[in-house]
Amino acid sequence: MLAVRDLTKSFTGPGGEVRALAGVSFELAAGDFLAVQGHSGSGKTTLLLACGALQRPDSGSVTIAGQDPYRLGAEERAAFRARHIGFVFQQFHLIPYLTVLENVLAPLLALNASAAPARAMELLERFQIQDRAAHRPQQLSTGERQRTALARALLHRPKLILADEPTGNLDEQNADTVLDSLRELAKEGAAVLMVTHDNRLAAKAARVLALEHGRPKAEAAHAH
Amino acid sequence: MSTITLVLREMLHRRLNFALGVLAVAAAAACLAGAMTRLEAHRLRSEEILAQRQAETAERLKQMKGDVRKITLQLQFNITILAKEQNRKDFLINHYAEASMPEEYAAKLGQSDLTAINHLEPSLTQKITWTEQNCPMILTGVRGEVPLRLVDAKKPFHQPVPKGSVALGQELARQAGVSPGGAVKILGREFKVAAVHDPRGNVDDVTAWVHLQEAQELLKKPGQINAMKAMNCECSLADLDKIPGKIEAILPGVQAILDKPPADVRTAALARAEEESQAALAAEQAHRERIGQELEASAALVVPLVGAASAVWLAFLAFSNVRARREEIGILRALGVRGAKVLALFMLRAAVLGVLGGALGYALGFAAGWWWSGAAESGVAFAAQRLFSAGCLALVLAGGPLLAALASWLPALAAAQRDPAELLRADA
């Protein structure tokens, strides 16, 4: 589903050039759940954005569903993201003036899906926030917000789910709920890539890729 | 989830930014609508004032013309036609012409195209010695009026003297001791006294009127006359002086002398009054036009100035809106929303803002223009019927969104082109 080969990426900052990624390679098949672990500044988010067709790497390749999104133009790449990728962020990035249901339906701005409202309600029920459908994000708890963001990421049934510190702002109970949801999605056939700095959470993923200064430190497989 | 839903929700969410944007468009629209309404009110008021002045002037001139016409009718505009070779000074001294001209001239003039003459009387006049009474007298032969081809027959100005009769001036009748019905001899021919005129205190008192043909015989000037009187001429003041020339063109052997009556002075005064009235009207019109031009000049300065200030203010608000929505734009782009659609979100917002601002601005500007132009005194119905301009409303309803879109274009374009990764990186 996702193949990353020798990915490199550098940024020029005030202190000079910073190498965010240096030769990262891995593959993620349908049903895989990979946790990318590392300290702050290890290149986790850069890797996630590169895998999400949002950050063009300096070298190497990213292949999603057999296609390199960086060979597409900006607008086609956006459409590609809309079709294949679901994003979950630490800060949720819910649109504050839309209701929970409308936030979940936000991907419709990029897609045409006539069955979307039914699918949205199905997801709200799945994440047990159906009674919050008409509420605004600021009326939700942080756990509910993240579940809303998760529902939004799944509206169009993406084959690849990219989660950037999805539990970073959640308490342990809510973090476990979100993590369980991601594992379920992987079991249902989605490829899940989760970025985290939390060893406990990383341990719950099927595989862990540890990054240090943009380089793969180690990759481990867990039996669950 | 549709684009319009997102746009409307965002407007309600960021009410202050949106309201300030509406006010910015409204200010520009109000300025334009106010200026146009005020100019239109001024134009209508000018028309009203000028029409009133024109009506007043026309009424005054009509009255003056009526007065002058009455005076003109009483005094008549007369023309004396003499033989060309007649010395005019001698004629004025002697009261009759020595040089004669063919009687047929009268017929020729009567059959001409000249319409100004209403009465034409040929005559033959000469100072003679009344041998029977041994005193001087003026003998005048008249035959009545010449028929005029282009003028309907009117009541004769003077009654003709029948052949064999004589009308005597008061002094002559007294000299001869005769009265109407009596008989008198002049140069050996006997005439029946048809009339004796009352004393007139002028040369008429020593004049005897006989039929023209008999006068020609007595004076031995057959077929000759020495004067024609064209009386009660009617023509415009401007054409009055042209009449003698026209007569002389028809009859090259004559000279025509215009007897300018005192009424001509009145007519000239009337003409002067007319000219002054026209000048006053023109001055009023120029004054109104000058005010209109001043209003136009101030509008030409203020409207673009306010429009530019509004555009800058709108651009600032648009930048502020884009800045506040960085996260939202980032997530929409991450979700796959194309840059063109992000641009459309901002343009649609600008369009809604522009239409609302334009409508509000038109209402405010219209009311302000109506009030400040003084047209408010004419009432709301006047405003609705005469001042309301669908064209102006359409202009601000089209111009408002255009202004908002232009001012928002660069911030919106920048938002659409922002790298979503950069916007989301704050999450890292």
Side-chain angles (χ1 to χ4, degrees):
Chain A
M1 183 62 213
L2 170 66
V4 174
R5 295 271 176 274
D6 294 326
L7 221 54
T8 64
K9 180 69 184 176
S10 298
F11 296 103
T12 305
E17 191 176 78
V18 176
R19 177 158 281 201
L21 294 174
V24 178
S25 297
F26 66 87
E27 286 191 2
L28 198 61
D32 274 355
F33 184 0
L34 174 67
V36 178
Q37 193 191 359
H39 297 295
S40 182
S42 61
K44 306 187 298 294
T45 297
T46 302
L47 178 64
L48 182 126
L49 294 175
C51 290
L54 286 168
Q55 183 89 68
R56 184 183 290 278
D58 294 338
S59 67
S61 70
V62 174
T63 307
I64 300 168
Q67 196 173 1
D68 183 348
Y70 295 106
R71 291 184 187 277
L72 302 172
E75 297 293 88
E76 287 76 18
R77 198 158 66 247
F80 181 86
R81 279 198 301 275
R83 282 196 306 274
H84 295 292
I85 306 170
F87 287 96
V88 183
F89 297 95
Q90 182 180 356
Q91 302 295 344
F92 324 130
H93 291 312
L94 297 176
I95 298 174
Y97 50 84
L98 297 182
T99 64
V100 166
L101 180 61
E102 287 166 344
N103 264 289
V104 174
L105 289 169
L108 288 183
L109 289 166
L111 293 165
N112 284 321
S114 57
R119 166 76 175 154
M121 285 309 296
E122 178 192 318
L123 288 166
L124 293 184
E125 281 173 23
R126 176 175 179 167
F127 294 116
Q128 298 176 339
I129 47 174
Q130 70 272 24
D131 55 336
R132 302 294 228 167
H135 289 188
R136 296 283 163 80
Q138 60 270 30
Q139 296 172 299
L140 304 178
S141 67
T142 49
E144 287 170 331
R145 289 183 198 180
Q146 191 58 299
R147 278 180 274 158
T148 302
L150 201 54
R152 180 181 64 190
L154 300 178
L155 182 76
H156 56 296
R157 301 175 198 277
K159 296 185 182 79
L160 176 62
I161 296 167
L162 302 174
D164 188 3
E165 302 276 11
T167 60
N169 284 329
L170 304 181
D171 58 30
E172 195 171 326
Q173 189 184 346
N174 276 310
D176 286 344
T177 304
V178 168
L179 205 62
D180 289 345
S181 298
L182 290 173
R183 287 168 66 177
E184 275 177 36
L185 291 169
K187 281 179 189 169
E188 288 168 11
V192 179
L193 190 155
M194 179 181 74
V195 163
T196 181
H197 65 278
D198 189 329
N199 291 337
R200 190 184 68 83
L201 291 177
K204 291 189 177 182
R207 293 160 54 198
V208 176
L209 174 66
L211 283 183
E212 191 173 86
H213 303 303
R215 293 175 186 280
K217 187 180 168 190
E219 182 169 348
H222 300 134
H224 292 287
Chain B
M1 169 57 52
S2 65
T3 306
I4 188 70
T5 303
L6 191 87
V7 169
L8 293 175
R9 289 285 165 82
E10 193 278 330
M11 287 173 185
L12 291 172
H13 181 65
R14 297 189 175 89
R15 287 185 289 271
L16 181 62
N17 182 293
F18 183 73
L20 289 173
V22 169
L23 285 179
V25 175
C31 210
L32 179 65
M36 288 179 78
T37 303
R38 201 168 172 197
L39 280 170
E40 180 63 9
H42 172 76
R43 190 185 65 76
L44 291 173
R45 181 75 184 130
S46 296
E47 278 181 3
E48 194 182 310
I49 288 172
L50 290 173
Q52 191 183 340
R53 295 274 193 283
Q54 268 173 342
E56 286 169 4
T57 303
E59 181 57 34
R60 198 167 61 245
L61 287 174
K62 187 179 168 188
Q63 200 172 348
M64 287 176 77
K65 278 179 182 171
D67 292 346
V68 170
R69 185 175 174 79
K70 284 174 193 166
I71 296 165
T72 305
L73 283 173
Q74 285 171 356
L75 297 176
Q76 303 162 12
F77 292 87
N78 297 336
I79 297 170
T80 303
I81 302 164
L82 305 172
K84 196 176 185 72
E85 61 271 24
Q86 174 61 46
N87 183 298
R88 198 176 287 198
K89 196 163 60 181
D90 291 345
F91 169 76
L92 294 173
I93 291 169
N94 298 328
H95 296 291
Y96 71 94
E98 290 169 348
S100 60
M101 54 192 163
E103 184 186 346
E104 65 197 33
Y105 274 14
K108 192 174 177 184
L109 190 58
Q111 294 303 305
S112 72
D113 292 335
L114 199 62
T115 56
I117 298 171
N118 281 323
H119 302 276
L120 183 64
E121 282 186 359
S123 63
L124 179 63
T125 302
Q126 193 171 320
K127 183 181 174 184
I128 60 169
T129 299
W130 190 5
T131 50
E132 284 80 1
Q133 296 295 327
N134 196 26
C135 68
M137 70 179 290
I138 302 293
L139 180 65
T140 297
V142 293
R143 68 170 216 200
E145 292 186 22
V146 174
L148 301 169
R149 185 170 67 89
L150 298 178
V151 178
D152 293 336
K154 291 185 169 69
K155 186 181 175 185
F157 218 78
H158 295 125
Q159 290 298 326
V161 182
K163 282 184 179 177
S165 299
V166 64
L168 292 173
Q170 181 63 221
E171 284 300 322
L172 295 183
R174 196 157 56 84
Q175 173 79 26
V178 292
S179 57
V184 68
K185 272 192 172 181
I186 300 172
L187 298 181
R189 183 176 295 196
E190 188 169 294
F191 293 91
K192 182 183 176 188
V193 179
V196 173
H197 294 302
D198 290 335
R200 292 176 179 173
N202 58 25
V203 73
D204 285 355
D205 289 346
V206 291
T207 300
W209 290 271
V210 297
H211 191 272
L212 177 62
Q213 191 183 342
E214 290 173 327
Q216 288 167 339
E217 288 167 3
L218 289 173
L219 299 173
K220 297 184 175 32
K221 291 184 177 175
Q224 293 290 303
I225 55 175
N226 59 6
M228 286 188 279
K229 279 275 186 186
M231 289 164 291
N232 202 10
C233 296
E234 284 182 344
C235 63
S236 69
L237 182 66
D239 289 338
L240 188 62
D241 287 331
K242 296 175 188 167
I243 303 262
K246 286 182 180 177
I247 293 171
E248 287 165 7
I250 296 164
L251 302 173
V254 306
Q255 56 178 309
I257 303 166
L258 184 67
D259 299 345
K260 279 199 174 180
D264 186 38
V265 177
R266 301 287 183 93
T267 311
L270 174 67
R272 272 201 307 279
E274 196 169 357
E275 281 170 13
E276 282 166 9
S277 299
Q278 293 299 336
L281 261 179
E284 181 71 41
Q285 192 168 7
H287 173 65
R288 300 297 301 178
E289 280 173 4
R290 197 166 54 251
I291 293 174
Q293 283 165 356
E294 284 169 6
L295 286 175
E296 276 179 17
S298 66
L301 181 72
V302 171
V303 172
L305 208 63
V306 173
S310 296
V312 170
W313 179 234
L314 280 168
F316 170 77
L317 289 171
F319 267 113
S320 166
N321 185 250
V322 166
R323 190 174 178 79
R325 297 172 72 184
R326 283 174 59 183
E327 180 189 337
E328 175 193 330
I329 295 162
I331 191 63
L332 288 175
R333 296 283 282 134
L335 291 175
V337 176
R338 296 169 186 233
K341 191 136 195 177
V342 172
L343 184 64
L345 288 175
F346 284 94
M347 289 297 102
L348 187 58
R349 182 183 190 274
V352 175
L353 185 150
V355 168
L356 288 177
L360 176 66
Y362 181 81
L364 292 174
F366 180 80
W370 172 63
W371 184 263
W372 280 325
S373 64
E377 292 168 9
S378 306
V380 176
F382 173 80
Q385 289 168 7
R386 304 288 304 276
L387 288 181
F388 173 76
S389 162
C392 180
L393 178 60
L395 183 66
V396 295
L397 287 182
L402 190 66
L403 178 72
L406 284 173
S408 305
W409 178 255
L410 282 180
L413 194 63
Q417 292 178 342
R418 272 311 270 283
D419 182 357
E422 190 187 325
L423 295 168
L424 294 169
R425 193 161 275 283
D427 214 23

